[in-house]
Amino acid sequence: MNKWIRPNFTPCLPLGDNQSRITECCRHRQLSRTAAGEGMVLLKNDHCLLPFKKGTKLAVFGKSQIDYVKGGGGSGDVTVSYVRNIYQGLKTKSEYLEVFDPLSLYYQEYVESQYENGEIPGLLNEAAVPSHLLSKAREFTDTAVIVIGRYSGENWDRKNDGTDDYFDLSKTESDMVKAVTDHFPRVAVLLNVGAMINTAWFADNDKISSALIVWQGGQEGGLAAADILTGEVNPSGKLADTCAKSFDDYPSSAGFHESEAYVKYTEDIFVGYRYFETIPGKKDCVVYPFGYGLSYTSFVFSHASACSDGKNIFVTVTITNTSSQAGKEVAQVYYCP
């Protein structure tokens, strides 16, 4: 039994033959950073705000730039020796970007005080934006970044019952968004989330130019986000979910919280894009569809063809990068038997 004792396989313990921490070695940390960057999804990029140009000054709003959620909770958690948050990631790009530190340090002090009071990381309420910092930040720059975070774990299902704003923005978050968009002409949003939340508030807002889902990117997630914001990494992720206009637009919402003892799968096979693509009128509820994701690069698909030999289906397509910047594109093939 000794070889199956859990502590023997706890991350960060010396497990290699040479007593190396093989689960958190340099190579694995780099792989984590690469995977996080490749999975991030660019939802919006009007006026090509992203990537930020060299020399850009940023004012970063939101407690989640510090209270960063690296991954799931409970059995979905992983022990690591450190976590790079969004603020730390941006500070590593000091030769490229300049961050308005007084604002970020305000959030850092707030988060640290909440931790000292016993609050759980990832579950902190948003902090109100002090008017004097808002004014000084605007004097510093015309470009702002809003970071919105959500914790994901057991017993933290999305709700929309008036008491839980986990799908929609809380009032404090909404007030922060309004204050930022009223003062800054160039605004980008980062979503540090592990599941769907409301995206309609920025999709239809002309005052918000760009939005990037940075997901919950592990211990190097803050660095991976900074890599994309500066253009060192070109976003190529695609949505594996559907972003709908409201919580009620999802078919599971009607009965999901009927009981804590059971769930009725009344939607049957019509889950995700199957529901929105099949049920009449539901396509109009979609903000960003399954498979959606932008890039800093433009691509053209041509010469698409498909054939079958009776057992196998062969699909070919030519994908051409039509810009001067290197990038990756995902060829998505859908089959209806």
Side-chain angles (χ1 to χ4, degrees), residues 49-317:
L49 176 60
L50 297 181
F52 292 123
K53 303 297 187 293
K54 187 173 183 179
T56 298
K57 296 181 178 181
L58 296 178
V60 187
F61 292 83
K63 59 89 181 177
S64 292
Q65 64 178 292
I66 307 296
D67 185 35
Y68 178 77
V69 183
K70 75 175 189 307
S75 58
D77 199 5
V78 175
T79 301
V80 294
S81 60
Y82 67 87
V83 177
R84 306 293 190 197
N85 60 40
I86 300 295
Y87 175 58
Q88 291 170 330
L90 291 172
K91 290 297 287 183
T92 66
K93 310 293 184 182
S94 58
E95 295 182 358
Y96 193 98
L97 298 171
E98 186 177 355
V99 179
F100 183 60
D101 288 326
L103 178 62
S104 294
L105 293 178
Y106 157 75
Y107 286 107
Q108 181 170 298
E109 292 176 2
Y110 167 77
V111 170
E112 290 175 350
S113 67
Q114 293 296 297
Y115 290 169
E116 291 176 358
N117 291 335
E119 297 297 330
I120 300 174
L123 297 178
L124 308 186
N125 293 324
E126 186 55 69
V129 181
S131 57
H132 71 282
L133 281 178
L134 181 65
S135 299
K136 289 182 178 180
R138 181 61 184 90
E139 293 174 1
F140 177 79
T141 182
D142 65 351
T143 306
V145 174
I146 299 173
V147 186
I148 299 293
R150 290 292 185 272
Y151 178 85
S152 292
E154 298 170 4
N155 202 34
W156 287 98
D157 298 317
R158 300 294 190 260
K159 296 180 181 179
N160 191 30
D161 58 5
T163 61
D164 189 323
D165 293 312
Y166 226 57
F167 181 82
D168 291 316
L169 296 182
S170 67
K171 183 180 185 306
T172 308
E173 288 173 333
S174 295
D175 291 344
M176 174 179 65
V177 170
K178 186 178 187 307
V180 173
T181 54
D182 283 349
H183 286 78
F184 293 83
R186 292 155 44 91
V187 179
V189 170
L190 303 184
L191 299 179
N192 172 210
V193 300
M196 288 296 95
I197 68 170
N198 193 333
T199 57
W201 60 274
F202 60 75
D204 299 326
N205 190 340
D206 293 336
K207 294 183 178 181
I208 298 176
S209 298
S210 301
L212 176 71
I213 300 185
V214 301
W215 302 116
Q216 295 170 349
Q219 68 179 137
E220 298 284 2
L223 297 182
D227 290 339
I228 287 186
L229 294 177
T230 55
E232 293 180 41
V233 173
N234 195 337
S236 59
K238 305 294 183 182
L239 285 179
D241 294 294
T242 300
C243 298
K245 293 180 179 178
S246 72
F247 180 83
D248 294 333
D249 288 331
Y250 293 95
S252 59
S253 62
F256 188 81
H257 296 285
E258 179 178 312
S259 170
E260 292 186 358
Y262 61 82
V263 173
K264 295 178 181 178
Y265 287 94
T266 56
E267 62 269 32
D268 195 51
I269 65 169
F270 296 104
V271 178
Y273 71 86
R274 297 179 183 87
Y275 174 78
F276 293 102
E277 291 289 323
T278 305
I279 307 302
K282 295 304 179 181
K283 188 180 294 186
D284 297 333
C285 300
V286 175
V287 180
Y288 297 109
F290 176 94
Y292 181 88
L294 302 176
S295 170
Y296 298 152
T297 304
S298 58
F299 298 92
V300 171
F301 285 66
S302 61
H303 306 101
S305 64
C307 62
S308 173
D309 62 4
K311 294 183 178 181
N312 303 294
I313 297 175
F314 302 90
V315 179
T316 61
V317 64

Side-chain angles (χ1 to χ4, degrees), residues 8-88:
N8 287 345
F9 299 92
T10 301
C12 306
L13 289 181
L15 300 178
D17 294 336
N18 60 350
Q19 295 300 298
S20 64
R21 298 184 177 188
I22 59 175
T23 57
E24 206 179 37
C25 63
C26 291
R27 185 177 58 175
H28 285 197
R29 291 198 299 269
Q30 182 56 51
L31 176 61
S32 174
R33 181 174 178 176
T34 300
E38 293 210 355
M40 294 177 184
V41 182
L42 182 62
L43 295 180
K44 183 177 182 181
N45 199 25
D46 295 347
H47 315 299
C48 296
L49 176 60
L50 297 181
F52 292 123
K53 303 297 187 293
K54 187 173 183 179
T56 298
K57 296 181 178 181
L58 296 178
V60 187
F61 292 83
K63 59 89 181 177
S64 292
Q65 64 178 292
I66 307 296
D67 185 35
Y68 178 77
V69 183
K70 75 175 189 307
S75 58
D77 199 5
V78 175
T79 301
V80 294
S81 60
Y82 67 87
V83 177
R84 306 293 190 197
N85 60 40
I86 300 295
Y87 175 58
Q88 291 170 330

